[in-house]
Amino acid sequence: MTSAEKAKSEPLIDLQRLVVSVRRRRRLWLSTALLGLILGGLVAAFLPSPPTAVAQILVVHPDDSPTDSGTLMRTDVAVLQTTKIATEALKKLNSTQAPEEFLKDYEGLGLTNNVLQLTVKAKSKDEALARAQALSDAFITEYIARNQAAAAAQQKALLDQRNQAQNELTPIEAAIVTEEAKNRNANPAQLERLYARRAELNSKISDYDGRAQEAGIGTPKVAAGTQIVDAPRILPRSLLKTLATDMGIGLALGLLAGLGLAAVTSVVKDRPVLRREISRHLGASVIAQLPKPLRFSRGSRAATRRRRVAATLVRAVRQGNGPVSLLDLGARQVTAALAVDMARELAETGPVSLVDDLPKANLRELAGEGPVRVLDRGDAPVAAGERRIGVGSVEPGTAWTDLEFLGKETILVVRTGHANTEWLHTVARQLADRRIPIIGVVVVDPDPRDHTDGTLWDGLHTALRGRAGVVRERPTPKPVEMFPREKKIGRRHPTPYKRATELDNADQPTKRFAPVSPDNAEAL
């Protein structure tokens, strides 16, 4: 798989990396959550909610039925929150406030199909009670007037239909009288039709009269039943409950804001936090890891773990004869302490010196009095049998040409989440250009739940860049023996030695590999 195919197969957002990045930024979202908690408490203490008055109104619906699902009450709530009701209430209060603004200060809630709860806010308790009373009276007046108007309209319509039936009955009565005056000459069939029509019209007139009377009787029932059943009263306010509610809301909002900010910054900054990402971008395997150092404590547990890692690194560099460097990227104190531990481990088998090129590390103070010498860059040349460990940095602003004097091979000490992807590529490219192989990477402050593999498993043409090997000397070809010329058909003399081109094309043995950059892996 080429590097282009790998780039296409990688997801746009790695969820595992996102979760680890957000978890590593827990200080950020915990701080925002704490800030939201404090702000919520301050709002509850210094900006208390205004006084609130509550009233309950019993609403009698003329068309109410047991199967009603609350549609009539929802209609009443919608009517309550109209500018007409607000205007009538403001008139009762003699207030000049705009109805649109007054609508924001109260709301209605249907408790049951016939009980409406009214909640009103104001600047003072007396004003809240007065507003609740005015709104209740305005709603009841409007509701009764609306039902009376509807009943009157229905009654009028029924009476109009009754009058129309009576007007139609008058000619029928006259026709019956005329037909009966004929005595024997009267048409029985005609009289039968007239009698049937008169009976039908009389029935309609009686029905219209009854319905009109019922419509008139329904309005007093609604007017008498619709009333205030719970007078306006001020809701009791608990400071502790308000404080807990506001602080809880502030905590939730602050936590959400912090998590969102942490997720966005982790995606934008693009700083690798997983071992597999650090290994892939640097082109070298992760060979050890160390926890985050504690600034104000020197625990024996952390020191023991660091010495164990130093012993592992010593075994990795003991085979070589040239100087080795430790280059820091975001973990200066850990790099210095690790270099001192490696030097003490190597001092058991011979003289060792440290080349201090790491700013603000106090390498001499860490080494103390002992067999390990601490030198500045450019001091005495390497003595026979002496091992040197150069300690430097690959932070932004590094003089790349000076890294060659610290060591022919290097071990990178990288703190997770410190450098972005672009800078890791820069470090790998600069080291490869200077023919400095990366023995391995020591990861500092890894995520405890990071179980990704930091070992490179790809082939040489995709995972590594260049080689730093010990080239074998070309063997001296043996002299060609002079054979007597024999003319034999189909026989050739054997080649006494391999061609030089075949020897040149043979793979040379290697002991270390430098990182490969995805940009020119195919060219290599």
Side-chain angles (χ1 to χ4, degrees), residues 18 21-22 25 28-29 257-269:
L18 182 62
S21 299
V22 171
R25 288 178 172 84
L28 173 63
W29 47 267
L259 290 175
L261 183 61
V264 171
T265 53
S266 64
V267 174
V268 172
K269 290 185 177 180

Side-chain angles (χ1 to χ4, degrees), residues 24 271-272 329-331 395-396 414-420:
R24 290 180 62 85
R271 294 184 177 181
L329 187 57
E395 293 280 354
V414 182
R415 183 175 179 178
T416 57
H418 178 72
N420 56 17

Side-chain angles (χ1 to χ4, degrees), residues 157 212 251 283 290 359 462 482 491 497:
L251 176 65
L290 288 172
T462 58
M482 301 301 296
R491 181 178 178 182
Y497 57 92

Side-chain angles (χ1 to χ4, degrees), residues 151-162 204-219:
Q154 184 179 6
Q155 186 179 19
K156 184 178 180 303
L158 292 172
L159 293 176
D160 291 341
Q161 291 180 356
R162 185 201 63 180
K204 285 184 177 181
I205 291 171
S206 177
D207 181 54
Y208 290 148
D209 285 336
R211 292 170 61 185
Q213 291 178 1
E214 290 179 0
I217 293 174
T219 301

Side-chain angles (χ1 to χ4, degrees), residues 75 133 172 179 226 263 315 319 342 354 357 403 448 454 483 506:
T75 303
Q133 185 66 40
I172 296 296
E179 193 67 28
T226 303
R315 286 192 293 269
Q319 300 175 358
M342 290 180 61
L354 291 174
D357 195 26
L403 298 180
F483 293 94

Side-chain angles (χ1 to χ4, degrees), residues 291-303 306 333-334 337:
K292 182 179 179 180
L294 300 177
R295 294 184 179 180
F296 302 104
S297 63
R298 297 181 179 179
S300 60
R301 188 174 182 180
R306 190 181 64 242
Q333 299 299 329
V334 175

Side-chain angles (χ1 to χ4, degrees), residues 362 465 496 499:
N362 297 326
R465 176 179 176 177
R499 296 181 180 178

